[in-house]
Each structure stands twice: as structure tokens, then as C-alpha cells.
Amino acid sequence: MNSASLARRGPAFLPLAPAPAALLLATLVGPTPMTAQDYQRAEQLMTWNALRHLYHDQVIPTWFRDSTRFHYRVHTRSGFQFVSVNPTTGAKSPLFDHPRLAAALSLAADTAFDPGKLPFATVAFDDDGRDERTLRLRVGRRGFRCDLGTYLCAKVDTLPSRARFVRSPDERWDAFASGHNIWIRPATGADSIQITTDGTADRPYGTTPPLPTQIRMRLQFPPDVVWSPDSKRLAIARYDLRNVATVSVTSMTTVRPTTYSYPYALPGDTAVTLVEAYLAEVASRAVTRVKVEPQPAMSFYDFRGPGRYPFAWNPEGSRVHFTHVNRGPKRVRLIGAEAANGEIKVLAADSAPTYVVGGTDLLSAPGGGANWPVLRSGDVLWFSSRDGFGHLYRLGPNGTVKLRLTQGPWNVASVVRVDETLGRVFFTATGREPNRHPDYLHLYSVALDGTGLTLLSPENANHRITPVPTGRGFLDSYSTVSTPPVTVIRSVDGRVIAELERADTKDLLATGWRPGEVFSAKARDGVTDIWGVIWKPSHFDSTKRYPVIDHIYPGPLISPAPKDFFPSREAFSYAAGGQVQALAELGFVVVSIDALGNTGRSKALATAWWGNMGDHGLPDHVAAIKQLGARIPALDLDRVGIYGLSGGGFASTAAILKYPDFYRVAVSMAGNHDNRSYYHGWGERFQGLLVADTVAKTDNYAAAANKTYASQLKGKLFLIHGDLDDNVHPVHTIGLVDALIKANKTFDLLVVPDADHNLTPNPYLQRRTWDYFVQHLLGRTPPADYRISPPPS
């Protein structure tokens, strides 16, 4: 389980104790209060402020209708600019004349807009992208159409939303869900046609009941349907909610409370949400159920969100493919279903005594994450960790292994594209290149016969890859924690066709912002390397002593320690959510650690604490922080705090309860403190199916529940939860509160009215977190009622 150590480690520091006179003076006068100016300095390093000083940092492509070009918005020193790119040549040009559009929009809106601060972040072209002369855009709640020939803008009452619809490949039909059934309507806007007719509230087609957050925010999603390439058929997911128990949350900020109920199956429940596959023929309206038993809707295996159920048609539209899992999931099968009659064939299968890992790049997989492309021949490329590492196998149409495409002590992360004309597979992978961070993503290709494995992204950095839909190339944005991002267009052989953007950090660094430093340490076993990032205040002085704060997310499989440059505008980042640099600026050293279980370097590491979710990787965190303390004498290991959201809230509370002599202060947001009350698919995957011990009157989940250890609380614990959290229900925190009260423990609690699970952007909660650590870890008084003010959106 060893991996190569990172060549560049953080700097070593020599111990230097404070002068005795300084210590005596501090004892006599006490610590100085924290001032509003101290908080203001930290606030300037928060993500939304730091990003104002970072230029040319990223490219998020929006493809034109023909998919041969794309446009994006980039922050420049003169403001935000919209750029159009031809990825074949790398040629760039303005998407429109910014001053003329600003003038036209100002006239239409009866206000004044700066060409570098246009009041929208995205644009679309009219007529579903066909009319590239007319822009559709939204300013606040108002919609506008702007003619790019005349540069005249007009207000429109509403801009049509495509969020509910799935357009057919021939562009003739839109599929949508209504009244628990699937309908189609002509793209020209004629009368709709009902496809399924027997959908009910507890057996709907294409959708499940909306969560409270969706209702309150009026979010719309497309149905879980996929058109065949010839637009003649639809593959449809149908959900079975019969007998699934419900939970409720209540808004109490109005005179009459409003209660929202929704189906939510827990570990051990007999009834969970099931999903079946149906096939519909558009011309005849015939609907056929695929002849395989229903499967649990395991959103943490191969489901990719609303409208992205993992159906994949063959090019002829005669067969549809999808994965089929059991509760766990300890078994996964790839099913091929005949469109004519719904008959099935099992094309591939995998199993594991813990759970099947479907891929190691769960959050940023560029191809949607489906690591089982089906070739024209009927062969399947199948991802499996059957030998302990995640690799690609080529299977015949009957499921027999023809050959291995990849092998070795490293992991395929995600299949990006299969180009059968070139005869090559393009994929991201980690851990193959020596003397590099083992979790850096790189782009590779290999021939379909398993020969000619080639590294296409040679830079020693983490590479975020986006394939060009209809071209033989890729967008590659690469960076490290300390190296700003560069975005290039690569050809299929790895050559750089053009550099699109190179981040400019001069102004950012001038604010006092500093990137984190990557470090490696030994895990609890003293042998296995683990990795993390450490952030120090801009005024760090190696002769002083600093409390340490651990920003934790336990996963499993999800890595909290960033690999990319921070801050990030779009990429998922626990560091950005935790505002680590701003917190460090208050006088702390902040760390984020990828423990065993966070990393997908091998199946053994990914499943290191399967069946023991109460582990959280905390023994690795304690071991790593102690090693950092030995290297950096400025770290005061008598003052260690910890914080996190969701699983991080679960873990931070477990830390102060289970390691009370190491962790002194914890801030826990929206923690799933007892997974018997959380969505069944999470606990059953990582803890196993719930098994009751009727004699001992317990079960295999009890040892991981935080309330089991309530009597062990010694330090300062701050629990925070939103009362409308429809992901991690407030019952988790309230159940823990009940146990703490019964144990006669003192703690702090904040219930946030009308707040859902996404608490990290809340500036009030950021400030309260700062206050808690300043008071209880620094021993200083925070400024009274300081207000953190994000810039206007």
C-alpha cells in the first residue's frame, strides 16, 4: 500500500521558544482582543473576495449548437469578457462587442452597465441555439433578447426554460414528465403526445417527488429518459415508491408553519425506492418493461442526477445498456436490453465483499462517469478493481474477458472518450507517474488491443479534462495547490494546439493571500503514505506558536484536500467551502488531510474502514498532525481544533468525542451523526446492510453513531444544523443533543431557520465559526457581531 513520497515537501522549521519575559508579560496582561481590523483582513481572503484579484484562471466551455465551437466567460484586468473559440485551430475572438452590448442593454433596461461588468454570467442563443445572431440573457428576474447585428436589445416577459425537456437527436421532439407520465411534444410547439399512461404518484415515470429544496427554489429538472440515436425510441426510468417511509421538515418562519414530507428510505427499511427500465416506441406508443428485476436507486454508484440515468444505446438504437446493482452494492451487472421486446443479456459483472467501486473520479468525471462504453462490435470496455486496482478490461458481447487494456499499481479514474476510428480509448488515471502526487489526474490513451499506452498530459499537475464533442481534441486545465492554472487545447496525441488562458495571480498575492503547501505523512500504520495541504497566515512567524485546525471530510472515496489551485470558481472544493485561507489569517494553521478511505489509490485504501464508518480516518489525521508538529515547532498541538460540514460535521464531532485529549474544539455543521437516520444508499454502501443484535439490543451501526460517545465530551463543541435540511435531516443533530443532555454535557447549538444542507456560503455561519475558534482555541475575544459581507451577486 506504499506510494512514492512527493519530492517537494513543506519547509522544515527549527524550534525557537519565546523569551521568558514575553511569556511573563502575556500572563500578566492577558491576550489582546481580536479587532474588527483583524477580521477585515481575513475577510479579504475569503473566496468571493480573493477571486476579484485573480485573472484568466479558468475556462468553463459552453458549446455552440453544432458542437464544433465553444464560448466561455473569463475574468480579465478590464473586467469579464465572453470569448469564442475554434478548438481545431485554437483561434479566439470576442463572442460579441462588449461596449455595444452594454450600451444596448443599458438602454433596454433603463440603467447603466459597465462593459466589463455585464450583469450576467451565462448567455444562450435564440431558437435553441440555431439563431447565433440573437442572444438570450437574464438580468435578475428580467429577460432580454439582443440582436448582435443591430445591437438592439428588447425586454421579454419570460425566457423559455429548457430545464424540463430532453430534445431528441433529430431535434423533432421534446420529452418531458407531467402527471407522473412521460410525454413528448413536437419541437415546433404543437400538441403534446402522451407516451406512458399508467404512471401514479407512487410509481411515476421519469421523476421522483421533488425535495423541499426543489419546491422552495422552484428548481426544474429533466426526466430520467434517454433517446435512441435514431430518435425512434425512449429509454425511461420508472420509480417504485410504494411503502417507502417518509420524513418531514418544517419551516417555522411564518405565522403558520409549513411542513414538507418526502420519501426517504433508511438502512434496514424493507421498502426502498426502486427503479425499473422501460422502452417506448414513439410511432406506435408501445411501452415495454425491460425484463430484469427492479433495482434500488443507488445514487452513489452509477446515477448521475436528474435526467442522467445511465442508459446508453447502441448506434443502431436496437439495444440499450445500463448497470444493475443490489443493495450494498456488492454486485453490479451490465445489462443489454433488446428494444424490440425488453429481453436482456448480462454483458459484464463484478462483485466485492465490501462494495463495488464504479470509478475513482466521482465528482469531476468528464464523460459523465460511465466507465463501461459499448463498442460498435458489441464488445464492452469494463472498469473493474478486481485485482485491487481500477483498470479497463475489454469484454466480448457474452461477457468473456478478451484482454486487459490497462494494468499496474495505479488507477483508471474515468473513461473520457472512445474513438473507434482511431482505435483508441482516452481516459484519466492517477498514480502511474513516479515522483508525483499519487492523486493527480492525468490524461492517457491506449489502443483497443491494449497496446501503446501513452501519457498525453505530461505536466506535473492535476489535469481537468473536457473532451471536444465532435473533434479530436481536449480542453485541459491543469494546476497544483501552489501553481496557478493553465488551460490549453490538446490534440489526440497530446500536442498543445493553443494556450487559451494562463492565470495571473499578481494582484491576488498582493492582498496577502498565499496558497497552501502540499505535505505527505505516514498513516496510522506508520508505513502507508497519506497526503494533505497546510495553510498558514500571511504573517506566519516561525518563532511563535499557532493553534492547529483540521478541516475534515471523511468520505469515503471523496478527497477533501485540494489538488488544484485555490480558490476555484466552479470546481468542487471543500477547501473553498471551508474558507481555509481566511480562517488561517486569524492566527491559525489549517490542515486538510486525505486519510485512508479518502483516496482511491487502491481498492484496499478505498475500503480501508468499510463496515466501520465511525473511523472517519481520524487515526490518520492524528498521526499526520503529530508528524507535522515534529517538523514545524510553531504548531501548538496542545491547541487543536476541527470543523466540517455534512460528513465533516459527523467526523468533527466524532473527533472531539473519541479523541478528547487531542481535539479541544469542534464546529460541526449538518453532520449525519447516526447513519441509521440517513439515506440508506450511503450507509449500506460504506457500513453494510443493517444487522440487528436482538440479544444485545443493538446493531452494527450503533458503534459509529456519535450519540454512543456523548458521555466522553470534554472540549468545546458547537453544533449547527438547518431546520429544512432535506439531505441530512435535523434528526441527526437533535438526536445527538438529546444524548448530550442526558449525559449532562455542556455544548453550543445553533438551528438555522429555513436553511437546507448547503450551509457553507452562509456568511453568518462563517463568522460564528471564526468566533468559536478565536474564543476557545486562541483564547481571545472576537469583535462583537462582526458582519461578513459577500459582494453582490
Side-chain angles (χ1 to χ4, degrees), residues 258-317:
T258 302
T259 296
Y260 304 88
S261 296
Y262 52 100
Y264 194 93
L266 304 178
D269 282 2
T270 301
V272 301
T273 300
L274 301 175
V275 62
E276 299 174 282
Y278 281 75
L279 303 174
E281 187 177 56
V282 172
S284 67
R285 316 288 190 267
V287 179
T288 303
R289 188 180 71 86
V290 173
K291 296 173 182 177
V292 66
E293 67 274 15
Q295 62 171 314
M298 296 284 295
S299 63
F300 293 105
Y301 179 71
D302 212 1
F303 287 48
R304 297 287 156 179
R308 301 189 66 190
Y309 188 89
F311 290 123
W313 288 91
N314 66 351
E316 297 75 31

Side-chain angles (χ1 to χ4, degrees), residues 686-710:
F686 299 119
Q687 181 69 25
L689 299 182
L690 189 143
V691 179
D693 184 337
T694 56
V695 176
K697 296 183 179 180
T698 186
D699 54 59
N700 59 320
Y701 278 58
N706 280 336
K707 62 186 178 185
T708 303
Y709 308 95

Side-chain angles (χ1 to χ4, degrees), residues 358-361 365 371 383 390 411-415 427-430 441:
T360 58
D361 188 17
N371 284 335
F383 173 93
N411 281 281
V412 169
S414 181
V415 175
F427 61 93
T428 55
T430 59
L441 290 163

Side-chain angles (χ1 to χ4, degrees), residues 724-774:
L724 291 187
D725 191 334
D726 50 20
N727 179 357
V728 177
H729 193 277
V731 69
H732 288 267
T733 291
I734 298 304
L736 175 61
V737 165
D738 179 56
L740 290 167
I741 291 173
K742 289 175 179 175
N744 195 35
K745 294 297 179 180
T746 299
F747 59 95
D748 294 284
L749 171 68
L750 174 60
V751 176
V752 188
D754 285 357
D756 58 24
H757 194 58
N758 187 23
L759 299 178
T760 54
N762 188 315
Y764 177 78
L765 300 183
Q766 293 284 351
R767 193 266 291 177
R768 291 294 304 274
T769 299
W770 292 4
D771 288 353
Y772 208 74
F773 284 127
V774 165

Side-chain angles (χ1 to χ4, degrees), residues 457-495:
S457 56
E459 297 85 1
N460 184 2
N462 195 45
H463 294 257
R464 301 292 182 180
I465 305 298
T466 304
V468 176
T470 59
R472 294 183 174 181
F474 307 89
L475 268 68
D476 179 3
S477 292
Y478 60 89
S479 67
T480 71
V481 170
S482 57
T483 306
V486 177
T487 302
V488 300
I489 302 172
R490 292 190 186 277
S491 66
V492 293
D493 61 5
R495 289 182 299 107

Side-chain angles (χ1 to χ4, degrees), residues 173 184 193 195 227 231-234 280-286:
W173 301 100
I184 62 173
I193 301 168
I195 297 296
W227 286 96
S231 302
K232 294 181 179 180
R233 292 184 171 91
L234 278 167
E281 187 177 56
V282 172
S284 67
R285 316 288 190 267

Side-chain angles (χ1 to χ4, degrees), residues 66-224:
D66 62 8
S67 297
T68 61
R69 297 156 296 136
F70 65 90
H71 57 88
Y72 66 94
R73 179 176 180 252
V74 62
H75 191 208
T76 73
R77 288 184 174 274
S78 58
F80 283 97
Q81 301 291 314
F82 288 81
V83 179
S84 176
V85 178
N86 181 333
T88 302
T89 63
K92 294 169 54 177
S93 60
L95 183 63
F96 46 76
D97 186 317
H98 290 71
R100 292 187 68 189
L101 184 65
L105 191 60
S106 297
L107 183 64
D110 193 23
T111 187
F113 294 120
D114 185 328
K117 298 178 181 179
L118 291 171
F120 48 84
T122 60
V123 298
F125 289 102
D126 211 9
D127 193 18
D128 288 327
R130 296 181 184 88
D131 179 6
E132 294 185 11
R133 179 188 172 101
T134 307
L135 277 182
R136 293 170 44 229
L137 50 91
R138 188 179 301 276
V139 179
R141 295 184 178 181
R142 295 179 296 175
F144 294 87
R145 280 191 172 91
C146 297
D147 188 307
L148 296 184
T150 62
Y151 278 92
L152 294 175
C153 293
K155 222 179 330 185
V156 293
D157 291 335
T158 59
L159 288 174
S161 171
R162 300 261 331 133
R164 293 181 55 223
F165 303 100
V166 180
R167 177 63 56 88
S168 62
D170 65 6
E171 300 186 354
R172 293 181 56 201
W173 301 100
D174 282 328
F176 64 98
S178 178
H180 315 302
N181 283 295
I182 296 300
W183 299 63
I184 62 173
R185 69 174 190 180
T188 55
D191 290 343
S192 299
I193 301 168
Q194 189 167 356
I195 297 296
T196 67
T197 58
D198 60 337
T200 61
D202 57 5
R203 291 197 69 203
Y205 288 93
T207 61
T208 55
L211 293 172
T213 299
Q214 294 172 243
I215 295 172
R216 294 172 59 245
M217 297 183 67
R218 299 180 181 179
L219 300 177
Q220 292 184 325
F221 296 110
D224 290 321

